[in-house]
Amino acid sequence: MIDVARARAETPGCEKVIHFNSCGASLMPAPVLQAVKDHLDLEAGIGGYEAADKQRAEIDGLYDSAARYFNCSPGEIAVVENATVAWDMAFYGLSFQPGDRILTAMSEYAANYIAYLQIAKRTGAVIEVIPNDNAGQIDVAALERMIDRKAKLISITHVPTNGGLVNPAEKVGKVARSAGVPYLLDACQSFGQMPLDVEKIGCDMASVTGRKFMRGPRGTGLLYVRRSMLDKLEPPFLDLRAASWTGPDSYELQPDAKRFENWEKYIAGMIGLKTAIDYAMGWGMENIEARVVELAGNFRRKLASVPGVVVRDLGERPCGIVSFTKDGVRPEDIKARMAEEGINCSTSSRFSTRLDMTARDLHMLSRTGIHYFNTEAETDRFVELLEAMRA
Ligand SMILES: *Cc1c(COP(=O)(O)O)cnc(C)c1O
């Protein structure tokens, strides 16, 4: 159980706004904010390098905290700028031959799909999209039928940017494992709102961001790479953090996932992200997930009772992202109207998830990201305002 009063008391933003944008950037809890500020003060006071020397244990602790969250070892974690860089370091580290098949899904994120298109153009690899089942999530049986010798990568988004769908990541992992096909998971929107155990899921690589449901600082991201996968990836960029210059004609890669990093880091952000992961795990990821699913489920029911509103979330058991449309009212206008009332929500356009939005004939959605610090009173207020909006 989540003590919501305590969660709110520990979230300074809860006094100022109704925040339904944890899928964009969440509200940092006070301990995270304090950790970032303290480190910035230390840097200003004694110098950035000297501050990092003093805080070495906290900085290194990020790898341990992330490893606890993912159920992996600290050496399987790389710390980078954001989820996109994390994902790119994995994807562009793979090599493809003409005819190699990249298997992805309907809800794929634009940045990832653009990268597939570039690599397809460059190498002759082909992109193939796994169809959805009747619930609107990845059809795992169809994926099984798509596996052959030419299937070189399964790369999917766990929770898409545009709705509450949770793809069956574990079932996909079973297929990937039995076929021996590398499996890259974009877990950007699931990180921080549910547990992510890479052993259970069976993914070989996963990318996440700090600022969304994990409630960390902006400008932070992590890449998980399974140890057995390390030597199958050629890091697309190397620097003196990723490798050492061992002789006039030689270099050696870091023995662990740090080979996907680069040297300069947002150190205050690293300490902030460590604090955010510890803070989330202090609540318990199962507890966070249970509260988020309940609150978001109730919100969907309230929304569905508003005339003209259609809830757009797919999947068997949707998560904390709640998406909808209202007849005759533009999502941009809903966002602006809510902002006037101190409520943060967002929109998602076809350009972020083109395959899914085109298949459903959608151009723009209203998108909210509900977290455990939100309340029924807040979602009531939202629904009341939405009801009053006329075409
Ligand atoms: C936000 C998002 C990303 C990108 O994360 P950044 O930290 O902005 O790079 C990737 N995938 C999904 C599904 C997202 O929602």
Side-chain angles (χ1 to χ4, degrees):
M1 279 283 285
I2 300 277
D3 177 348
V4 180
R6 172 161 87 81
R8 294 179 66 79
E10 290 174 358
T11 304
C14 283
E15 281 182 13
K16 299 202 168 69
V17 288
I18 292 180
H19 195 69
F20 292 154
N21 201 10
S22 289
C23 48
S26 193
L27 296 174
M28 279 188 276
V32 173
L33 179 62
Q34 198 59 50
V36 174
K37 281 181 169 173
D38 285 349
H39 193 76
L40 292 177
D41 282 340
L42 192 62
E43 288 185 342
I46 67 168
Y49 284 28
E50 294 73 12
D53 286 343
K54 268 207 159 48
Q55 288 302 310
R56 187 53 54 197
E58 284 295 294
I59 298 165
D60 291 342
L62 171 56
Y63 297 87
D64 301 317
S65 295
R68 268 198 305 282
Y69 179 87
F70 287 112
N71 186 28
C72 67
S73 80
E76 295 176 306
I77 298 292
V79 177
V80 293
E81 296 87 328
N82 51 55
T84 302
V85 168
W87 190 94
D88 282 346
M89 291 304 285
F91 177 69
Y92 284 94
L94 293 158
S95 59
F96 295 94
Q97 305 296 319
D100 283 354
R101 299 162 68 221
I102 298 169
L103 308 184
T104 187
M106 289 297 290
S107 55
E108 196 60 355
Y109 188 60
N112 305 348
Y113 208 92
I114 290 166
Y116 305 144
L117 289 170
Q118 185 194 30
I119 287 299
K121 196 161 85 175
R122 194 188 279 170
T123 68
V126 292
I127 310 164
E128 288 176 25
V129 181
I130 311 158
N132 282 343
D133 64 14
N134 291 333
Q137 54 191 40
I138 289 174
D139 183 339
V140 179
L143 167 64
E144 262 180 311
R145 290 191 297 272
M146 290 168 81
I147 298 290
D148 67 5
R149 277 185 316 107
K150 286 286 192 185
K152 287 295 157 64
L153 176 68
I154 297 171
S155 177
I156 62 157
T157 299
H158 193 194
V159 170
T161 205
N162 68 332
L165 167 66
V166 183
N167 269 316
E170 270 186 57
K171 288 180 181 153
V172 170
K174 288 207 174 71
V175 176
R177 271 201 179 161
S178 69
V181 178
Y183 174 17
L184 169 56
L185 185 68
D186 177 340
C188 200
Q189 292 289 5
S190 33
F191 186 55
Q193 65 160 318
M194 61 186 76
L196 288 173
D197 179 329
V198 293
E199 287 311 314
K200 271 196 190 150
I201 293 172
C203 58
D204 300 300
M205 301 153 280
S207 54
V208 300
T209 205
R211 73 179 184 282
K212 295 182 180 174
F213 285 92
M214 188 45 86
R215 310 183 66 193
R218 296 197 64 173
T220 58
L222 300 172
L223 171 65
Y224 157 77
V225 180
R226 188 175 294 281
R227 189 163 295 280
S228 59
M229 195 69 206
L230 272 183
D231 289 325
K232 297 180 187 150
L233 296 174
E234 175 69 26
F237 305 109
L238 290 176
D239 76 344
L240 76 181
R241 165 76 170 177
S244 350
W245 194 6
T246 47
D249 301 313
S250 62
Y251 66 85
E252 235 169 68
L253 294 178
Q254 285 266 10
D256 58 15
K258 290 192 181 70
R259 64 180 64 177
F260 301 105
E261 298 188 358
N262 57 73
W263 195 82
E264 172 57 357
K265 291 269 187 331
Y266 174 25
I267 301 291
M270 289 179 72
I271 297 173
L273 181 54
K274 175 201 184 291
T275 309
I277 296 172
D278 293 347
Y279 184 79
M281 293 184 73
W283 289 108
M285 290 316 304
E286 279 83 7
N287 294 333
I288 288 176
E289 182 183 33
R291 162 113 183 128
V292 166
V293 166
E294 188 192 341
L295 205 53
N298 292 341
F299 188 29
R300 282 187 198 96
R301 275 188 290 280
K302 294 177 200 174
L303 285 168
S305 73
V306 177
V309 169
V310 181
V311 173
R312 299 291 182 173
D313 301 313
L314 302 174
E316 282 169 14
R317 189 173 180 268
C319 65
I321 302 182
V322 177
S323 64
F324 66 90
T325 52
K326 181 170 181 181
D327 289 347
V329 184
R330 296 178 348 150
E332 297 90 329
D333 294 336
I334 294 173
K335 180 181 168 184
R337 174 73 191 109
M338 294 299 167
E340 287 169 5
E341 300 289 332
I343 302 175
N344 300 333
C345 68
S346 65
T347 59
S348 193
S349 86
R350 182 175 283 197
F351 300 109
S352 295
T353 42
R354 175 177 276 279
L355 296 179
D356 169 56
M357 297 283 274
T358 307
R360 292 195 281 156
D361 198 24
L362 293 166
H363 287 273
M364 191 68 97
L365 288 172
S366 285
R367 180 185 76 154
T368 60
I370 304 299
H371 220 330
Y372 63 91
F373 55 76
N374 290 126
T375 64
E376 298 288 349
E378 288 180 332
T379 57
D380 284 344
R381 175 79 184 128
F382 186 97
V383 170
E384 185 191 331
L385 289 165
L386 183 67
E387 205 151 18
M389 287 189 77
R390 292 282 170 259

